[in-house]
Amino acid sequence: MTVITDALCPFCGCLCDDLTIVVEDNKITDVKQACKLGASKIMGHHRIKAPMMRKDKNSEFKEVSYEEAINEAANILSNSKRPLLYGWASAVCEVHKKGILLAEELGAIIDNTATVCHGPSTLAVHEKGLPSATLGQVKNRADVIVFWGSNPVHAHPRHMGRYSVFAKGLFSEKGRKGRKVVVVDVRKTDTANMADQFVQLEQGSDYLVISALRAILSGHADVVPESVGGVSKEQLSKLVDTLKTGKFVGIFFGMGLTQSKSRYKNIDNAISLVTELNAFTKCVITPMRGHYNVTGFGNVCAWETGFATAVDFARGAPYYNPGETAANDVLLRKETDAAMIIAGDAGAHFPADSVRHLAKIPVVQIDPYWNPTTEVANVVIPVAICGVEVEGTAYRMDGVSLRMRKMVEPTHLPDTEVLEKITERVKALRGE
Ligand code: SF4
């Protein structure tokens, strides 16, 4: 029996690094400290056993060898005029690097799961920058925590315990007792139930509410109506007071802000609010990134191509224009004629029209787990679990890079090897 301490969890953007893993006969038999989401991922439930292929989407899968599946994947991608390589968020940075090389070879579009979550945050950060901090700074210093359009109780279960609400730190030794917690959301979530202040706004009115807060903060409360987006002026003034009088304010925002009306302009406006609050106190803002290494893909893609996401190699050089080159843009326009979905689940998270198009075109899935994308795939290549069976680098939601360890010997090929083999085969098919 081996006991691995300080292991990392490859599930959500918290990237908890304090787990204890018990290994017996190359099998993980116990996971301590992780939440249910992380433990289930590490224990490897719903694994795909072997590579599979099927003739068409209505026929049954047949198990095949890795070689057959990789050759067929390479055929599909090299025969495509507009291939899309999508996903990447649940894989380590070493996988991203190989994926970008394949995209360049194919002249493909490469995009990641941010396209349906924090893509708008990336656009806002282009314009305004990100006045942020590490989760360690928040743990040690923050006395006011705001969750805006995010529900960590369910989506990031250990965020509040490890970093934000309950965590005790150097200058926050009282933990929860020394902190004010504010939740801004359209409905009373389980996180809101634990808050000191809950601001319930109308769906799609985030931009208006942030603008009203900025007006009050800058001494122009007279221009603010009695109610904005369903929130009373009194409650808005109280929130401004809470923010202004905090010693260190940490704002964490989720898809309630990024994917509601006004999208990236919401984040742009929230960043401006944070910048203005810094005239009164210390205030930082951090996106609640979902998959454990979605932040890593943005970093790798930016240093390899110059752009963080939605990169189109069709011109022979990287081109980026979200709205035109993001995964859902090409799927909704029915432009892409083949897709490779890796370490992400388009079948579960994309709009229905995009999934309908995926169901009509050849799809290669590379993933350790069976998920809704498997249902629209023609070729399925199972891989080792990054951070459990393969080591590598991942970036936490606050941009801190951490090294993930190999805890057991892999039972499947790693993504990097599969991508290398597909790239070699594509080159061979093209006579290179
Ligand atoms: S909070 Fe996230 S990173 Fe931490 S154990 Fe749970 S799923 Fe894993």
Side-chain angles (χ1 to χ4, degrees):
M1 188 175 87
T2 315
V3 177
I4 303 168
T5 53
D6 299 328
L8 273 79
C9 171
F11 190 83
C12 86
C14 288
L15 216 56
C16 294
D17 56 0
D18 62 342
L19 312 190
T20 300
I21 311 285
V22 181
V23 180
E24 285 175 70
D25 294 333
N26 201 42
K27 278 209 171 63
I28 294 176
T29 53
D30 198 8
V31 180
K32 295 190 170 86
Q33 280 92 256
C35 68
K36 274 188 190 167
L37 300 175
S40 144
K41 167 108 190 242
I42 293 167
M43 298 292 278
H45 298 148
H46 311 297
R47 292 290 294 273
I48 302 168
K49 287 196 187 89
M52 308 183 292
M53 279 169 31
R54 56 182 167 183
K55 279 197 186 115
D56 57 63
K57 309 264 184 184
N58 295 322
S59 54
E60 294 293 315
F61 279 115
K62 283 204 177 117
E63 286 191 10
V64 295
S65 66
Y66 267 104
E67 195 184 353
E68 281 173 276
I70 284 168
N71 285 348
E72 184 56 16
N75 283 339
I76 288 173
L77 294 172
S78 56
N79 285 332
S80 165
K81 290 199 175 75
R82 196 82 170 115
L84 166 69
L85 312 184
Y86 168 81
W88 309 105
S90 290
V92 289
C93 296
E94 290 75 1
V95 177
H96 305 157
K97 204 171 162 185
K98 300 282 179 201
I100 291 163
L101 285 173
L102 176 60
E104 193 173 8
E105 179 63 35
L106 290 164
I109 284 180
I110 186 161
D111 197 9
N112 72 323
T113 56
T115 195
V116 282
C117 57
H118 278 281
S121 313
T122 307
L123 294 180
V125 172
H126 288 335
E127 293 191 2
K128 293 273 166 74
L130 190 69
S132 196
T134 65
L135 293 175
Q137 285 171 292
V138 171
K139 172 188 170 179
N140 284 304
R141 296 177 184 276
D143 60 342
V144 175
I145 297 288
V146 181
F147 293 109
W148 195 307
S150 64
N151 186 9
V153 166
H154 293 289
H156 301 83
R158 298 187 70 217
H159 190 282
M160 294 195 291
R162 262 176 70 76
Y163 308 115
S164 51
V165 175
F166 302 103
K168 291 182 180 170
L170 206 57
F171 306 108
S172 55
E173 64 280 357
K174 288 191 187 147
R176 176 69 179 95
K177 284 189 189 137
R179 289 198 177 96
K180 269 191 190 154
V181 179
V182 181
V183 169
V184 185
D185 216 316
V186 294
R187 66 193 165 87
K188 196 156 195 206
T189 60
D190 285 335
T191 306
N193 281 329
M194 301 168 72
D196 301 299
Q197 253 175 279
F198 171 49
V199 178
Q200 185 162 18
L201 42 72
E202 285 162 7
Q203 175 80 38
S205 64
D206 304 73
Y207 190 91
L208 285 176
V209 171
I210 296 167
S211 300
L213 293 173
R214 290 179 65 193
I216 296 169
L217 183 68
S218 62
H220 296 98
D222 51 316
V223 301
V224 175
E226 281 313 306
S227 171
V228 178
V231 187
S232 70
K233 189 172 175 178
E234 191 190 342
Q235 204 178 5
L236 291 168
S237 301
K238 191 177 161 202
L239 178 53
V240 169
D241 253 13
T242 303
L243 298 173
K244 260 173 85 171
T245 52
K247 286 196 185 105
F248 188 116
V249 181
I251 300 178
F252 294 94
F253 65 99
M255 285 168 64
L257 196 61
T258 65
Q259 296 294 332
S260 62
K261 194 176 159 194
S262 306
R263 302 184 76 205
Y264 96 91
K265 280 293 174 191
N266 287 337
I267 320 305
D268 179 312
N269 211 8
I271 293 171
S272 294
L273 171 65
V274 170
T275 305
E276 288 155 14
L277 275 165
N278 274 289
F280 300 90
T281 181
K282 173 75 181 169
C283 182
V284 298
I285 183 164
T286 304
M288 294 286 265
R289 306 305 300 265
H291 296 72
Y292 77 91
N293 199 25
V294 64
T295 309
F297 181 84
N299 278 282
V300 177
C301 201
W303 76 57
E304 293 282 354
T305 72
F307 307 109
T309 187
V311 180
D312 184 359
F313 281 99
R315 292 161 171 79
Y319 169 74
Y320 158 84
N321 188 21
E324 180 195 354
T325 59
N328 276 296
D329 302 327
V330 284
L331 285 169
L332 291 171
R333 289 200 304 269
K334 301 183 172 48
E335 199 172 294
T336 190
D337 56 354
M340 184 181 92
I341 315 288
I342 173 168
D345 187 3
H349 302 126
F350 274 10
D353 283 347
S354 294
V355 181
R356 270 186 213 111
H357 188 59
L358 282 172
K360 287 182 189 147
I361 61 172
V363 172
V364 176
Q365 183 193 26
I366 302 177
D367 208 291
Y369 305 101
W370 194 293
N371 59 36
T373 298
T374 318
E375 307 301 330
V376 295
N378 299 67
V379 180
V380 177
I381 307 178
V383 281
I385 308 173
C386 292
V388 175
E389 296 171 328
V390 184
E391 65 170 4
T393 299
Y395 282 68
R396 207 167 61 184
M397 63 166 70
D398 54 352
V400 170
S401 63
L402 295 166
R403 191 72 184 163
M404 310 204 68
R405 287 145 70 185
K406 175 167 136 178
M407 298 188 259
V408 290
E409 288 304 318
T411 50
H412 296 77
L413 284 188
D415 307 68
T416 45
E417 204 174 318
V418 170
L419 290 173
E420 270 169 19
K421 285 178 190 281
I422 293 177
T423 309
E424 276 166 25
R425 184 72 190 147
V426 166
K427 283 184 177 173
L429 286 168
R430 295 177 168 193
E432 289 171 23

